[in-house]
């Protein structure tokens, strides 16, 4: 609720008789503000919203919509606001009521937001993530549905995943698919002559980007002249006329139907853009300049028909558009990428946003000096012969990686190549646990802080875990490419990987529950401990079950996982003992360890 | 690095040099010493341009008493820009080491369209209208008129330039077109006229071939160059074609119609001048003054001010006799009558059902008997028209193009008796259903256009990556080179991988032979090859087809069969179209797609504009696929006439010439993948005909030496396998200086050692 505010046009009356000062009422969290229209008026008001009681006139009564606010701190002084209408007043009233409530019961509100007020959008994202990631789904099933973890706890550790989409968007422009829009084939029902086109926002975006004339027509015609559906029907009618290559029919239809003609005519906006772009083209491939220099082929000079230049049917027909042009245009648009940041279903908004972007880039076109400079620099750089001179160092752009795990797996080769990593690894594991222990001690000394465990520490723990298992994949095989895991039977391999992920999951929750401050956490830890010991025994069982020649390696694989679990168990036991000792020794009122 | 070649100290802007670059410089120096012409073939990707520039500029520095001028001819404007960019690097280096005495003035020269900075003039659509718009503001009579009438619009840049007069000079430096424009804008001087003026002072001029070869342009731009110039034709493998094109003209129906309209307009102008003349003495005097001038002979070209020039005479200067204009066309009305008769005659000749082929001599004699126009009259048509248009003060020259074309034709046909033929075709062979009669005067003798260049300048260097067979060019251009050499490429590693693909995965042969090219199996196999290749080759892939129509057809088929979609899953697709602007943008986008890592395929056409001069070096081209053998259309009448001429004059067999021509185009297409030895790329010749020895052997040596016997007869899956292996090998680090005793990269020390022991010891 923080940051929310309500603003309404009101008249402020200090008493019922007062004719009132017109102005604005702005209610924010903890603050109520009245700004009169007349800046000279002294009836400016600014009060705290704590402990407000309100009276208001009922709708339907003859009285105007009044809201009477009494603030207790100011010795019950009341303020009357006359609203323009009832809905405005109700909005303000509800808002103030909500404010009051949130003041009274902050804790309850917090709980509300976390569970019940979970928006549908968030749920959708969660479902989508689960659908896309089978591993996550399995974990979710295993822990949430078996009640080891609650839904919220499960997702709390994955906030990044939830928020990721929005983060990614700001980092990297989303690309477009290479497929041509003209590649959309209509579906027919087979019986009648009807065809159906399925338009998605992406297709519409592409059509608008590739054909500015269509975009402009959309802005002009929809919805004032025709409905969106009619518009697209007309568009595809025009496309159909193109595809028949029957220019006579196209010309005839265009003559009759002025809106259809828009689609059939050559795109003027495009032509304008082209003229603009050609001025900024790299001079080392500017073939248009060539044409301007070629006096040998001055009208009818040079050799016309010696077979070197071949003839294609004359292209001057204005209702003719070639596939080649379409392909070039399409590729150019794909290369440009999704230049707008509008994620709307509304076609009109998309169209307008695109037009705006184009206008902006046109504005940029006027300040071409920088671009020119850059072009010249690039030209002189490319002019040199690369292997005759010292190498140039170009700046690096950071990689934005879609799926970290893909990246992680592709990097394993590199890890293996570094000598001494295997040796250093064990120490790393120990160091990691050392760090973890230290931080627990620290917490014990200084009490609770936020976050409970230092991010660096938890990072250490998990990265060492990850590395151990991943390098084990490689180190053991003779050929670094040949993954050890691949040699295991498929079921065992899956099991190992699954345990690995669940061991990443469980201790994370386990450690984050410490120190145990509430009974809730207490039960949670207990549940987690059970689940972990369950996994532990499963690991043991798996170790036994594999073939003898693989057993050693499997146990190597499993050891760090078990170590992680052991550490958790130890801590649990120690904590439990201390608890029982304390509870017999005397109550600690706040439950802190 | 700085080293000595005999008595010349060479300043080379890099720390290392390839051995072949060094040898190239040695040969070049010998040519300059001998003041003769030379022919040098060196593979692409070995730094020809920089070797050439650095030797010639260094040579100039070592002979301060007789400084030579470098005239560097490129085929295209973008190659011009590239050359100037390299020259900038070199110039900076020389100035760094030698100080201000190494300063030179180097300019690129182009048309008004590319140099103009007047936004109002630039708004004109094409080159010709830009020229006309410029003339409208800069012609001497327009400027004279504007002193009386302030409403006449002039070009401020030109006015400022004229005002500055002798002081309008460029400070030393290297100027690309962009630099010239920027300088002009800054000073308020017209860059075009400034650059043209600076041609006589510049040490290095970079411009397009036609500024030397095409008499129409050369007559204006290049007439003041001194004999002590070194002329370089870079990428000169097509120079014979440029030469014959420069002297060829054709006439169509539209040309005649336009010319008739032009004549009407001229007639009106003449009448109005005469009408006004009765009341106004000055105007009447104009035509009379012209008549007097013509009686005295054509002292015309010398006394024109900068703005008043049209394109020059289409015939070569040494072929035009210095005599007076014949009496029957001295009067303007008479000249118009002669032209009318000429148009009428041409119109009759165009009305033919059959293809006719004639020699200029018989054409002129039948013209004389049927229209009463003598050969001498024809010869002067061009000059007479130009004089008339100047007298009538016509500025919108772009509208008078048709009549100029007809006069060019007349002058050419009246001047040359041999080496040309006239071919009249009622329709294009390939589209017999569309009547489009055309009368073509086509030149067959490439040596005609280039002869004045060889005669005028002390050294002419013809160089390219593909000049094989190297003995053919001196014959085609009829000159005797003092040095004629073909250099091999010393490879640090096998960085090119040519392959001949003869079959698809289904073992069916692939070819663009006429009877096979539309076979669905061939089209599918070609498509599958690309689908497989785009999935394994990183960054850029370039495909060349034999013609636009073939490319158009095959892409349409691929689109229908879903092959295009499969390709697009891997890479973006860009295509060369006949619209130059669109192609340029497509290329620009292609490069950006390769730069950003998305990867792209570029579809292009052999003999097209892209194949002519765009480099697909480094990541811009890791693979080139040449679909088919790019033969010329062998049924073309002009080509047949040319082949006949070649057989009769040089005893070159038709088949040999066609194969030579096709293979030089193919080599040109695939040769653009390599820029340096650090670069690498694959070349696939996808046609079964390449496996035949007589075709293959025409490829340049540097490609052949990498073409292994095992790669001569591949199917798609084998080619994929080889490509994978090759790419993996190329990804490994390697020793740039060369291994196993073969030095492929020389340092200063190596060169010094070599100077002691002699070049012969160089191991490669």
């Amino acid at each position: 609720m923080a940051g929310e505010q309500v603003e309404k046009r009101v008249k402020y009356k200090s008493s019922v008789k007062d004719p009132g000062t017109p102005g604005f009422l702005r209610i924010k969290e903890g603050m109520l503000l009245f700004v009169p229209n007349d800046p000279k008026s002294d009836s400016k008001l600014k009060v705290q919203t704590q402990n407000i009681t309100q009276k208001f006139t009922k709708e339907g009564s003859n009285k105007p919509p009044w809201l009477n606010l009494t603030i207790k701190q100011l010795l019950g002084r009341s303020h009357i606001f006359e609203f323009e209408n009832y809905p405005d007043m109700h909005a303000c009233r509800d808002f103030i009521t909500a404010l009051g409530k949130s003041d009274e019961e902050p804790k309850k509100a917090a709980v509300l937001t976390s569970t019940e007020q979970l928006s549908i959008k968030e749920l959708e994202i969660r479902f989508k993530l689960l659908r896309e990631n089978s591993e996550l789904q399995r974990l979710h099933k295993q822990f949430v549905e078996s009640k080891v973890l609650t839904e919220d706890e499960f997702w709390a550790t994955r906030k990044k995943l939830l928020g990721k989409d929005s983060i990614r968007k700001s980092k990297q422009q989303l690309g477009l698919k290479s497929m041509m829009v003209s590649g959309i084939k209509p579906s027919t029902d087979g019986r009648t002559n009807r065809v159906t086109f399925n338009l998605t926002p992406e297709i519409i975006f592409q059509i608008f980007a590739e054909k500015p004339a269509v975009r402009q027509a959309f802005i002009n015609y929809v919805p004032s002249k025709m409905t969106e559906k009619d518009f697209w029907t007309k568009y595809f009618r025009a496309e159909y006329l193109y595809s028949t290559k029957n220019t006579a029919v196209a010309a005839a239809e265009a003559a009759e139907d002025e809106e259809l003609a828009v689609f059939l005519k050559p795109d003027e906006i495009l032509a304008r853009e082209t003229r603009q772009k050609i001025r900024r083209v790299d001079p080392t491939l500017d073939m248009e300049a060539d044409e301007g220099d070629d006096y040998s082929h001055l009208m009818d000079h040079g050799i016309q028909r010696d077979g070197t230049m071949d003839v294609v049917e004359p292209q001057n027909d204005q209702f003719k558009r070639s596939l080649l042009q379409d392909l070039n245009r399409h590729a150019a648009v794909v290369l440009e990428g999704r230049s707008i940041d509008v994620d709307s279903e509304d076609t009109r908004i998309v169209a307008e946003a695109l037009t705006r972007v184009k206008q902006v880039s046109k504005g940029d076109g006027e300040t071409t000096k920088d671009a020119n400079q850059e072009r010249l620099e690039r030209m002189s750089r490319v002019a040199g012969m690369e292997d005759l001179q010292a190498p140039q160092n170009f700046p690096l752009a950071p990689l934005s990686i879609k799926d970290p795990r893909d990246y992680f797996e592709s990097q394993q080769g590199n890890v293996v190549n570094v000598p001494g990593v295997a040796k250093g690894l064990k120490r790393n594991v120990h160091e990691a646990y050392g760090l973890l222990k230290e931080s627990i001690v620290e917490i014990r000394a200084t009490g609770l802080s936020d976050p409970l465990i230092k991010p660096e520490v938890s990072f250490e723990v998990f990265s060492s875990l990850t590395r151990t298992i991943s390098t084990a994949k490689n180190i053991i095989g003779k050929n670094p490419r040949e993954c050890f895991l691949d040699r295991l039977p498929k079921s065992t391999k899956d099991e190992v990987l699954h345990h690995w992920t669940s061991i990443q999951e469980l201790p994370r929750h386990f450690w984050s529950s410490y120190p145990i401050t509430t009974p809730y956490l207490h039960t949670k830890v207990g549940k987690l401990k059970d689940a972990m010991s369950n996994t532990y025994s499963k690991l043991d069982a798996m170790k036994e079950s594999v073939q003898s020649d693989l057993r050693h390696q499997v146990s190597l694989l499993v050891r760090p996982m078990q170590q992680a679990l052991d550490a958790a168990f130890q801590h649990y036991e120690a904590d439990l003992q201390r608890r029982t000792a304390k509870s017999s020794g005397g109550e600690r009122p706040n439950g802190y360890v | 690095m700085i080293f000595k070649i005999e008595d010349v100290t060479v300043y080379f802007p890099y720390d290392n040099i390839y051995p072949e670059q060094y040898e190239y410089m040695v040969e070049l120096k010998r040519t300059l010493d001998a003041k003769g012409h030379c022919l040098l073939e060196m593979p692409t990707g070995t730094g020809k341009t920089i070797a050439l520039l650095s030797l010639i500029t260094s040579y100039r520095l070592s002979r301060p008493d007789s400084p030579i001028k470098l005239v560097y001819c490129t085929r295209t404007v973008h190659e011009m820009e590239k050359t100037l960019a390299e020259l900038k690097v070199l110039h900076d280096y020389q100035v760094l080491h030698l100080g201000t005495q190494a300063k030179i003035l180097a300019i690129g020269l182009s048309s008004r369209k590319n140099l103009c900075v007047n936004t109002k003039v630039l708004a004109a659509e094409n080159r010709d209208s830009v020229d006309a718009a410029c003339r409208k503001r800069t012609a001497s009579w327009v400027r004279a008129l504007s002193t009386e009438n302030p409403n006449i619009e002039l070009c401020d840049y030109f006015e400022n330039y004229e005002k500055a007069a002798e002081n309008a000079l460029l400070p030393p430096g290297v100027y690309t077109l962009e630099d010239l424009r920027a300088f002009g804008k800054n000073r308020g001087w017209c860059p075009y006229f400034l650059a043209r003026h600076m041609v006589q002072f510049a040490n290095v001029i970079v411009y397009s071939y036609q500024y030397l070869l095409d008499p129409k342009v050369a007559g204006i731009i290049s007439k003041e160059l001194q004999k002590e110039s070194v002329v370089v034709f870079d990428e000169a493998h097509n120079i014979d074609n440029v030469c014959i094109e420069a002297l060829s003209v054709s006439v169509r129906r539209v040309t005649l119609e336009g010319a008739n309209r032009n004549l009407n307009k001229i007639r009106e102008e003449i009448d109005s001048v005469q009408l006004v003349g009765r009341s106004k003495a000055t105007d009447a005097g104009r035509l009379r003054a012209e008549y007097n001038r013509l009686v005295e002979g054509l002292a015309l070209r010398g006394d024109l001010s900068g703005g008043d020039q049209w394109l020059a005479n289409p015939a070569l200067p040494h072929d035009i006799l210095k005599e007076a204009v014949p009496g029957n066309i001295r009067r303007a009305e008479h000249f118009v009558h002669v032209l009318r008769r000429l148009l009428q005659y041409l119109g009759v000749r165009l009305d033919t059902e059959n293809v006719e082929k004639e020699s200029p001599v018989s054409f002129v004699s039948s013209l004389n008997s049927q229209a009463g126009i003598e050969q001498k009259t024809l010869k002067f048509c061009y000059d007479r028209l130009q004089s008339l248009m100047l007298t009538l003060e016509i500025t919108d020259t772009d509208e008078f193009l048709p009549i100029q074309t007809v006069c060019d034709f007349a002058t050419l046909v009246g001047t040359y008796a041999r080496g040309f033929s006239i071919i009249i075709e009622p329709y294009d062979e390939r589209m017999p259903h569309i009547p489009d009669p055309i009368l073509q005067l086509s030149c067959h003798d490439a040596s005609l256009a280039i002869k004045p260049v060889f005669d005028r300048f002390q050294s002419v260097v013809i160089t390219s990556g593909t000049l094989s067979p190297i003995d053919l060019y001196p014959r085609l251009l009829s000159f005797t080179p003092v040095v004629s050499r073909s250099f091999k490429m010393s490879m640090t590693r096998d960085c090119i991988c040519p392959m001949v693909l003869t079959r698809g995965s289904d073992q069916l042969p692939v070819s663009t032979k006429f009877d096979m090219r539309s076979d669905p199996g061939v089209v599918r196999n070609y498509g599958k090859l690309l689908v497989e290749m785009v999935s394994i080759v990183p960054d850029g892939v370039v495909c060349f087809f034999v013609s636009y129509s073939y490319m158009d057809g095959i892409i349409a088929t691929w689109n229908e069969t879903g092959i295009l979609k499969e390709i697009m899953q891997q890479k973006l697709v860009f295509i060369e179209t006949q619209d130059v602007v669109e192609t340029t943008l497509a290329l620009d986008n292609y490069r950006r797609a390769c730069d950003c890592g998305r990867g792209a395929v570029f579809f292009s056409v052999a003999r097209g504009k892209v194949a002519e001069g765009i480099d697909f070096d480094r990541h811009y081209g890791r693979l080139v696929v040449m679909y088919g053998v790019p033969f010329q259309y062998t049924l073309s009448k002009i080509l047949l006439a040319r082949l006949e001429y070649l057989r009769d004059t040089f005893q070159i067999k038709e088949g040999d010439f066609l194969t030579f021509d096709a293979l030089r185009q193919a080599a040109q297409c695939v040769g653009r993948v390599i820029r340096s030895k650090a670069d690498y790329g694959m070349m696939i010749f996808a046609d079964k005909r390449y496996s035949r020895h007589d075709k293959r052997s025409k490829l340049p040596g540097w490609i052949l030496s990498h073409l292994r016997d095992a790669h001569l007869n591949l199917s798609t899956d084998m080619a994929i396998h080889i490509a994978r292996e090759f790419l993996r090998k190329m990804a490994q680090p390697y020793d740039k200086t060369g291994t196993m005793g073969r030095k492929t990269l020389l340092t200063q020390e190596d060169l010094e050692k070599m100077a002691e022991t002699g070049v012969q010891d160089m191991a490669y």
Side-chain angles (χ1 to χ4, degrees), chain A residues 29 70 132 166 173 241 260 314 322 343 352 364 388 446 472 479 481 489 528 530 564 591 593:
Chain A
E29 191 180 23
T70 316
E132 281 168 0
S166 55
Q173 231 178 44
L241 286 174
L260 191 72
S322 70
D343 214 7
E352 278 165 354
D364 291 345
L388 293 182
T446 58
N479 181 347
R481 290 221 187 149
L528 282 170
D530 289 345
V593 182

Side-chain angles (χ1 to χ4, degrees), chain A residues 404-424:
Chain A
R405 193 150 148 217
D406 285 351
Y407 182 71
F408 154 71
E409 277 179 353
S410 72
Q411 289 299 301
Q412 280 167 13
N414 301 348
V415 175
V416 173
N417 287 339
V418 183
V421 161
K423 230 182 181 178

Side-chain angles (χ1 to χ4, degrees), chain A residues 175-185 245 270-271 273-315 322-337 372 375-376 378-391 394 481, chain B residues 14-16 18 21 47 76-78 81-82 85-86 110-111 113-114 127-128 131 178 208 210-211 214 216-217 244-245 248-250 252 255 311 401 405 408 425 427-428 430-431 436 438 440 547-549 552 555 559 564-565 568 572-575 577-578 580-589 591-593 595 598 607 609-610 614 618 620 632-633 636 638 675-678 736 745:
Chain A
L176 290 172
K177 282 198 189 112
S178 294
M179 201 189 73
M180 284 273 284
V181 172
S182 61
I184 335 166
K185 289 274 178 284
K245 299 207 172 78
L270 208 58
E273 264 174 37
T274 308
R275 272 199 293 278
Q276 213 143 37
K277 273 189 201 149
I278 194 86
R279 291 201 194 131
R280 277 178 275 168
V281 100
D282 185 344
T284 58
L285 41 74
D286 188 354
M287 292 193 295
E288 205 236 354
D290 256 15
E291 194 133 280
D293 206 18
D294 184 5
Y295 282 94
S296 285
H297 292 95
L298 195 73
M299 180 189 179
D300 286 334
H301 286 72
I303 290 175
Q304 308 283 319
R305 249 183 232 168
D306 69 338
T308 44
M309 287 302 292
D310 57 332
V311 265
V312 173
E313 305 262 342
Q315 290 263 333
S322 70
L323 170 69
L324 306 188
Q325 283 171 328
D326 282 354
L327 282 170
N328 277 336
R329 176 72 194 147
H330 168 75
V333 166
V334 170
L335 197 61
E336 234 166 62
N372 248 339
R375 205 172 61 187
L376 290 177
R378 207 179 115 200
M379 226 174 95
S380 65
R381 204 172 56 221
V382 172
M385 297 196 55
E386 48 187 334
D387 60 340
L388 293 182
Q389 57 195 353
F394 295 107
R481 290 221 187 149
Chain B
Y14 301 109
D15 298 337
N16 299 297
Y18 296 142
Q21 280 179 317
T76 56
V77 175
H78 44 94
E81 298 269 12
K82 247 184 313 196
E86 290 199 52
S110 184
S111 63
K113 174 103 196 318
N114 294 335
R127 191 238 356 256
D128 301 322
D131 285 354
E178 177 72 49
S208 143
Q210 41 170 333
Y211 284 66
D214 193 332
K216 294 193 292 294
V217 198
I244 62 171
E245 285 217 74
S248 299
V249 188
S250 48
R252 291 161 190 271
T255 325
L311 290 176
L401 275 179
T405 305
D408 284 355
E425 281 180 290
Y427 49 77
D428 194 302
R430 279 166 292 185
M431 302 167 87
D436 180 21
I438 186 166
Q440 311 173 80
S547 68
Y548 275 116
S549 45
D552 220 21
I555 289 177
N559 187 35
L564 200 60
K565 210 163 150 189
M568 278 167 54
L572 288 175
V573 173
F574 294 96
I575 305 170
T577 64
Q578 286 179 317
V580 186
V581 175
E582 187 177 334
T583 307
T584 304
L585 288 180
L587 267 174
D588 197 43
N589 283 327
R591 287 215 168 158
R592 278 198 287 134
D595 284 338
R598 179 127 191 176
R607 296 170 191 279
K609 289 236 161 60
V610 173
I614 302 293
R618 296 171 296 131
Y620 298 133
Q632 291 191 60
Y633 177 65
S636 148
I638 289 194
R675 175 168 169 88
S676 69
K677 289 178 186 173
K736 275 203 267 181
L745 206 61

Side-chain angles (χ1 to χ4, degrees), chain A residues 17-255:
Chain A
K17 299 263 166 64
D18 189 358
T21 329
F24 284 96
L25 176 68
R26 192 177 294 146
I27 310 173
K28 274 197 280 204
E29 191 180 23
M31 189 70 75
L32 189 145
L33 202 68
F34 174 76
V35 186
N37 282 350
D38 181 7
K40 279 176 225 149
S41 160
D42 57 357
S43 51
K44 214 165 168 178
L45 185 73
K46 192 173 167 185
V47 288
Q48 305 279 312
T49 52
Q50 268 94 357
N51 305 321
I52 294 179
T53 51
Q54 38 187 347
K55 289 183 213 151
F56 48 88
T57 51
K58 286 240 164 56
E59 207 168 343
S61 64
N62 292 333
K63 287 184 181 164
W66 281 358
L67 185 65
N68 187 348
L69 299 177
T70 316
I71 290 135
K72 285 178 189 158
Q73 280 139 326
L74 296 173
L75 303 169
R77 196 179 153 198
S78 64
H79 307 276
I80 302 170
F81 297 99
E82 183 184 336
F83 287 84
E84 287 185 330
N85 47 30
Y86 277 97
D88 274 358
M89 190 200 78
H90 288 306
C92 276
R93 200 195 73 211
D94 292 346
F95 191 75
I96 292 168
T97 319
L99 276 180
K101 267 193 196 136
S102 67
D103 284 342
E104 282 165 32
E105 305 164 284
K107 268 181 195 158
K108 200 176 160 195
V111 173
L112 273 181
T113 47
S114 71
T115 53
E116 286 157 40
Q117 291 192 342
L118 191 66
S119 68
I120 297 171
K121 209 165 189 179
E122 250 172 276
L123 275 176
E124 266 174 5
I125 294 173
R126 286 182 186 183
F127 278 125
K128 196 168 150 241
L129 279 171
L130 287 179
R131 242 193 340 266
E132 281 168 0
N133 191 342
S134 64
E135 203 171 86
L136 199 67
Q137 194 178 11
R138 223 168 120 189
L139 272 181
H140 187 260
K141 202 169 163 188
Q142 190 185 350
F143 295 127
V144 178
E145 286 173 27
S146 63
K147 300 271 164 64
V148 175
L149 295 172
T150 66
E151 176 92 19
D152 283 323
E153 282 164 357
F154 184 77
W155 286 110
T157 53
R158 288 184 174 69
K159 278 211 176 94
K160 213 175 174 184
L161 221 53
L162 290 171
K164 205 170 157 191
D165 280 5
S166 55
I167 293 163
R168 199 195 301 157
K169 195 182 278 170
S170 62
K171 262 190 193 154
Q172 194 171 7
Q173 231 178 44
L174 209 60
L176 290 172
K177 282 198 189 112
S178 294
M179 201 189 73
M180 284 273 284
V181 172
S182 61
I184 335 166
K185 289 274 178 284
S187 54
T188 49
D189 57 4
R191 278 168 295 155
T192 55
N193 274 334
R194 244 175 108 100
V195 291
T196 320
F197 287 92
N198 282 318
L199 279 177
T200 63
E202 195 180 348
I203 292 173
I204 290 175
F205 173 82
Q206 274 205 30
I207 292 175
F208 281 162
E210 283 175 30
K211 297 167 186 162
V214 175
R215 186 180 71 213
Q216 197 53 47
F218 188 91
I219 293 174
N220 291 348
Y221 295 154
V222 180
S224 58
K225 245 182 163 176
M226 55 175 94
T227 66
E228 191 171 339
K229 197 176 166 223
D230 287 342
F231 181 84
W232 291 117
T233 312
K234 223 159 221 169
Y235 170 77
F236 281 107
R237 170 87 193 140
E239 286 297 291
Y240 166 75
L241 286 174
Y242 271 130
S243 67
T244 55
K245 299 207 172 78
N246 192 343
T247 49
V249 174
E253 292 220 10

